[in-house]
Amino acid sequence: MKTLILSSKDVEKYVAPELAIKSVDYVFTQYGQGNIDMPPKIHIDMSRIGHESWCNAMPAYIVEKKTGGIKWIGGFGENQSMNLPYIMGIIVLTDPVNGHVKSIMDGRRISDLRTGASAAVFARYLAVKPLKGIIVVGAGVQGKAAIDCLLLEYPNDPIMIYDIDFEKAKQFRDNFSPELRKRVIPVDNLEDAARASKLIVLLTTAQQPFLKNEWVSTGATVLGMGTYQQAFEDFTLSADKVIPDNCAQAIGRGELKPLYKAGKISPENCYAEIGDIAAGKSAGRENDEERILGLPVGIGAHDVCIADYVYQSAVENQDGVWVELQ
Ligand SMILES: NC(=O)c1ccc[n+]([C@@H]2O[C@H](COP(=O)([O-])OP(=O)(O)OC[C@H]3O[C@@H](n4cnc5c(N)ncnc54)[C@H](O)[C@@H]3O)[C@@H](O)[C@H]2O)c1
């Protein structure tokens, strides 16, 4: 039985922000309706190699699409010095009928875009309407994907970008077309920019919190998307609603992990999962005053859904290399 191997170049041809946003919203809705099987991701810490090094295994089965698969992906703290992206990984697609491995593909572009699209779809469900004032914190790979998707979701609005390294935030703008560049505004004062924002997207590699509770205004939505805690705990503990993509995962990662370990928060503190809101089972935002903490910590079903589309497109267009693996 042959397996289709798809390189990053093959994958790039078929993924774009529009597709990612559509797929992410579809998956949240299907998940909320109970049509996706997906255990919480498994995490392995490999930092005994001598620096930050971890991987997640993220399996999912999408019933309607008859598609099963797994993303195996991680973050590697020394990669910048090796001229490699921080995040590295692959996606494997399995035929649920017989276990045949249909495809193995580079997972980075799919993962980056579905992460960016999660920010846009969380904002769609949780942010005040009309939304004025958007800031993305972290001018890295995920920050770029988030802004690509937010520019589409909010086609008339500027988006501020902040990074601890202001030069990086300024250079970050060059990644966009001249037309879009006008809407990406580097800022060097996080406090002022956060206070002026109703959507604050945290996508940094910071390992210590930096977003202060008093900087988050009435009606603001904060999306905590990093691997470590980025907002101080008094914000998390005073937010009107905490809404993750997957509660079981979110308590062991990012914003909630240290609070859960210290016994300050439990799964009961999650108001709902975003899928419940997408599926119409839960209200989500109920007024313009609520301060909401959204936690798109990342679910494997997004990656599997987009990877299935990429696989089918590659088969149609005769891309990639078939290998007799099994
Ligand atoms: N939620 C998800 O689904 C998901 C998916 C992939 C990655 N991530 C996480 O997103 C984060 C960013 O990943 P990336 O691939 O963009 O990394 P990256 O290295 O490309 O970019 C990270 C950026 O954060 C900046 N930064 C670090 N500390 C900061 C601080 N205190 N204030 C402001 N900026 C700061 C760095 O200067 C850098 O520009 C990581 O924690 C990663 O694990 C989340």
Side-chain angles (χ1 to χ4, degrees):
M1 280 177 168
K2 288 190 172 174
T3 298
L4 183 60
I5 308 292
L6 295 170
S7 69
S8 52
K9 279 193 181 146
D10 298 324
V11 173
E12 282 274 341
K13 291 182 199 163
Y14 304 110
V15 285
E18 294 88 340
L19 167 83
I21 292 175
K22 210 172 141 199
S23 305
V24 162
D25 203 357
Y26 165 80
V27 164
F28 280 145
T29 307
Q30 288 292 311
Y31 185 51
Q33 291 170 347
N35 298 330
I36 289 180
D37 295 322
M38 188 177 57
K41 58 179 125 183
I42 297 171
H43 177 84
I44 180 163
D45 182 353
M46 301 184 287
S47 59
R48 287 207 284 178
I49 191 74
H51 55 77
E52 184 197 6
S53 169
W54 53 266
C55 263
N56 290 332
M58 303 168 66
Y61 176 57
I62 304 169
V63 176
E64 189 175 69
K65 290 189 178 289
K66 298 186 172 60
T67 293
I70 185 166
K71 179 170 75 165
W72 171 243
I73 199 155
F76 303 87
E78 291 298 307
N79 275 12
Q80 209 172 2
S81 62
M82 295 181 238
N83 210 18
L84 289 169
Y86 172 67
I87 295 286
M88 301 281 281
I90 58 160
I91 301 170
V92 176
L93 292 177
T94 291
D95 186 337
V97 173
N98 56 12
H100 167 222
V101 175
K102 296 193 295 186
S103 183
I104 301 173
M105 66 184 76
D106 181 66
R108 292 170 301 177
R109 184 69 178 141
I110 293 174
S111 182
D112 297 344
L113 267 183
R114 71 76 151 129
T115 301
S118 294
V121 177
F122 260 70
R124 181 180 289 178
Y125 288 114
L126 301 184
V128 285
K129 293 183 180 66
L131 171 61
K132 289 292 165 219
I134 304 174
I135 182 167
V136 172
V137 186
V141 175
Q142 313 307 320
K144 167 73 170 60
I147 292 189
D148 281 337
C149 295
L150 288 164
L151 287 168
L152 270 183
E153 186 71 14
Y154 298 99
N156 301 313
D157 294 298
I159 299 181
M160 292 180 279
I161 177 74
Y162 173 85
D163 197 280
I164 198 163
D165 177 351
F166 185 50
E167 281 310 307
K168 200 170 172 191
K170 285 197 281 187
Q171 286 161 13
F172 178 83
R173 260 196 346 167
D174 300 340
N175 296 319
F176 296 86
S177 67
E179 199 47 44
L180 292 177
R181 208 171 293 164
K182 292 182 207 150
R183 292 172 52 208
V184 179
I185 318 292
V187 291
D188 63 357
N189 184 320
L190 179 59
E191 175 177 352
D192 288 352
R195 285 184 188 273
S197 298
K198 292 293 181 213
L199 179 68
I200 303 171
V201 181
L202 304 177
L203 264 170
T204 77
T205 42
Q207 298 196 17
Q208 296 298 329
F210 56 83
L211 184 79
K212 293 190 179 170
N213 183 26
E214 58 269 28
W215 299 353
V216 180
S217 65
T218 302
T221 302
V222 175
L223 301 183
M225 302 185 66
T227 293
Y228 307 99
Q229 187 187 0
Q230 298 169 97
F232 283 96
E233 67 174 40
D234 51 345
F235 167 67
T236 301
L237 295 171
S238 65
D240 293 293
K241 286 174 180 160
V242 175
I243 302 180
D245 46 14
N246 178 299
C247 186
Q249 263 180 203
I251 53 168
R253 192 178 159 87
E255 303 304 329
L256 302 189
K257 185 176 178 180
L259 281 75
Y260 179 60
K261 274 178 116 176
K264 294 179 179 174
I265 207 159
S266 74
E268 286 69 48
N269 291 93
C270 295
Y271 161 81
E273 291 181 345
I274 197 78
D276 299 325
I277 297 162
K281 291 180 177 172
S282 186
R285 175 175 287 283
E286 289 170 291
N287 59 57
D288 289 351
E289 275 75 55
E290 286 174 322
R291 296 193 315 161
I292 295 182
L293 174 60
L295 297 170
V297 298
I299 56 173
H302 287 147
D303 303 286
V304 170
C305 180
I306 299 173
D308 186 56
Y309 171 84
V310 168
Y311 167 72
Q312 287 178 30
S313 306
V315 170
E316 268 169 40
N317 293 294
Q318 299 181 357
D319 265 325
V321 177
W322 289 96
V323 175
E324 190 91 37
L325 267 190
Q326 297 170 307

